[in-house]
Amino acid sequence: MTHDEPTSYVLYRTPHSQHFTRLVQRGEPRTFHALEQMPEGGGYAIVPFEPSADCPIVWIEPDEATTHAVPAAPMGLPSHHESDEAAQRAAYSRAFATAHSRLTDGTLRKVVLSRRLVVTLHEHEADLDAQRLFLRACHYRPGSFVALWHTPHTGTWLTATPEVLLDRRHHVWSTMALAGTLPWQEGVTPVWNAKNREEQQVVARFIDEQLRPVCDTLTASPVYTLHTGNLQHLCTDFRFTLPVHTAVGEVLARLHPTPAVCGMPRQEALRTIGQAEATPRRYYAGFSGPLHLLGETHLYVSLRCMAFSPRQATLYAGGGLMPESQEAEEWDETQRKLTTMLQLL
């Protein structure tokens, strides 16, 4: 890297937009280890699932911000690859046994178990081009928030996520309780079982309990089905106003991580995830987005994501476990979620 090249950049496209924003920061981004330490605005936040010294919150303060049209047609990419799915299946089985035992003994009401998939391109293929994959994600996931970021602290990540953590329009804030998953079938009305409905209600109750003490007003929509790509989820939208003195970092600390990516009770779920999952989540199931930057606040949970290294991508997916969950069904759900990113390859 020459002295003139950017050390950090972000590309992001909000849902259904025909344009994306490119941010460039020259020099080292600031880092933080707690949400309450974050600035109140003027940057792009990249937040891991659990901030730590090795995996910090990264705050991009752009030297350049430009807007570009999303190309009409995606460019082709290498498609010959292999993965470590067999090894991941065995690891998931061990993790499921650990996590599910905490549900059946009453320690947890819900826990989200994630897994990864390492995809390696064949030697004769070119290295993965993250920026072209970003444009393909914009094309194939029009209703998602698509973001690509690269910093010295994080490496390179791509996410195409439907889940709002915190959004602001004028003086009104919003978030959502998104949980429960079924395959999408055109023209078929989804039939949601009790497990999916309760899984989503755990998230909705948590958000209500966390926001009500700090809000001036709080309203919730009826539960509805949200279609995103090859999947559909149950969703409740929350809209609220905050007293003028309320710090955004305090609200984020109340919400993140929600039971949609962690579980309930939260601290016990975090311990179980740390014990059961074979590899750290890092920035998967964290969140990213502009915070009072260019007049916009759009913070989205980092789902449907992948991390890059030369000729290799590590994909992440997870699903909510309840006491009645069956291992094979939960594994199949993670397979469907991984398809979102595998299609880009």
Side-chain angles (χ1 to χ4, degrees):
M1 180 177 289
T2 69
H3 178 72
D4 293 329
E5 288 180 335
T7 59
S8 303
Y9 67 83
V10 177
L11 310 179
Y12 71 90
R13 195 284 317 266
T14 55
H16 304 294
S17 175
Q18 300 303 310
H19 295 82
F20 68 91
T21 301
R22 182 174 187 264
L23 309 175
V24 175
Q25 180 173 353
R26 305 182 190 283
E28 196 81 1
R30 285 194 284 167
T31 60
F32 307 97
H33 299 125
L35 290 167
E36 293 88 346
Q37 298 171 347
M38 279 174 46
E40 283 297 291
Y44 189 100
I46 302 171
V47 179
F49 177 65
E50 284 193 278
S52 67
D54 295 331
C55 198
I57 298 166
V58 179
W59 183 253
I60 301 293
E61 298 166 281
D63 300 303
E64 301 173 15
T66 54
T67 303
H68 308 267
V70 176
M75 294 174 281
L77 283 163
S79 59
H80 302 289
H81 60 264
E82 57 190 29
S83 72
D84 64 344
E85 184 173 320
Q88 294 297 334
R89 183 67 184 91
Y92 185 84
S93 183
R94 293 190 294 271
F96 183 93
T98 299
H100 196 253
S101 68
R102 309 284 171 84
L103 293 162
T104 54
D105 71 10
T107 304
L108 293 170
R109 298 202 300 277
K110 173 186 176 178
V111 65
V112 177
L113 186 64
S114 76
R115 54 171 285 236
R116 66 178 195 169
L117 182 71
V118 179
V119 176
T120 304
L121 292 181
H122 289 175
E123 284 292 328
H124 66 274
E125 298 284 6
D127 284 355
L128 288 167
D129 184 330
Q131 296 197 28
R132 279 199 291 163
L133 285 171
F134 167 82
L135 295 176
R136 285 172 67 84
C138 289
H139 179 82
Y140 287 114
R141 292 291 176 263
S144 293
F145 177 81
V146 182
L148 169 70
W149 67 77
H150 171 84
T151 80
H153 303 282
T154 62
T156 308
W157 288 70
L158 173 67
T159 179
T161 173
E163 186 171 342
V164 175
L165 181 68
L166 197 60
D167 196 277
R168 185 178 181 179
R169 309 282 179 181
H170 306 296
H171 68 287
V172 179
W173 296 85
S174 62
T175 186
M176 62 169 53
L178 187 74
T181 304
L182 284 175
W184 166 256
Q185 294 178 283
E186 184 73 40
V188 177
T189 301
V191 178
W192 296 100
N193 61 20
K195 181 262 183 186
N196 277 293
R197 290 189 177 278
E198 177 56 22
E199 182 187 341
Q200 193 268 342
Q201 280 301 301
V202 167
V203 184
R205 287 193 294 268
F206 169 86
I207 291 174
D208 185 274
E209 290 166 2
Q210 291 298 309
L211 289 179
R212 198 163 290 280
V214 296
C215 288
D216 282 335
T217 62
L218 176 64
T219 60
S221 74
V223 179
Y224 65 95
T225 298
L226 178 69
H227 168 217
T228 170
N230 60 323
L231 301 172
Q232 51 193 333
H233 309 282
L234 288 169
C235 187
T236 302
D237 293 322
F238 292 86
R239 288 179 171 77
F240 57 97
T241 57
L242 294 170
V244 291
H245 65 273
T246 305
V248 177
E250 178 189 350
V251 178
L252 290 170
R254 283 178 165 272
L255 291 176
H256 176 72
T258 74
V261 296
C262 180
M264 283 294 287
R266 180 153 67 175
Q267 290 307 312
E268 187 58 43
L270 284 168
R271 281 192 288 272
T272 299
I273 288 167
Q275 293 163 3
E277 294 184 358
T279 52
R281 295 184 178 190
R282 301 187 68 231
Y283 292 90
Y284 165 70
F287 63 90
S288 87
L291 177 58
H292 297 318
L293 177 67
L294 308 175
E296 297 185 331
T297 293
H298 309 295
L299 301 175
Y300 279 75
V301 182
S302 298
L303 306 176
R304 318 292 191 268
C305 65
M306 64 172 85
F308 296 98
S309 56
R311 279 204 306 275
Q312 198 171 75
T314 302
L315 286 64
Y316 295 81
L321 306 189
M322 303 290 284
E324 60 269 37
S325 292
Q326 300 295 314
E327 181 187 325
E329 293 175 0
E330 298 298 336
W331 170 263
D332 288 346
E333 180 177 317
T334 67
Q335 292 284 75
R336 289 191 290 269
K337 289 176 176 176
L338 287 171
T339 299
T340 298
M341 283 300 177
L342 280 172
Q343 286 177 337
L344 302 181
L345 300 173

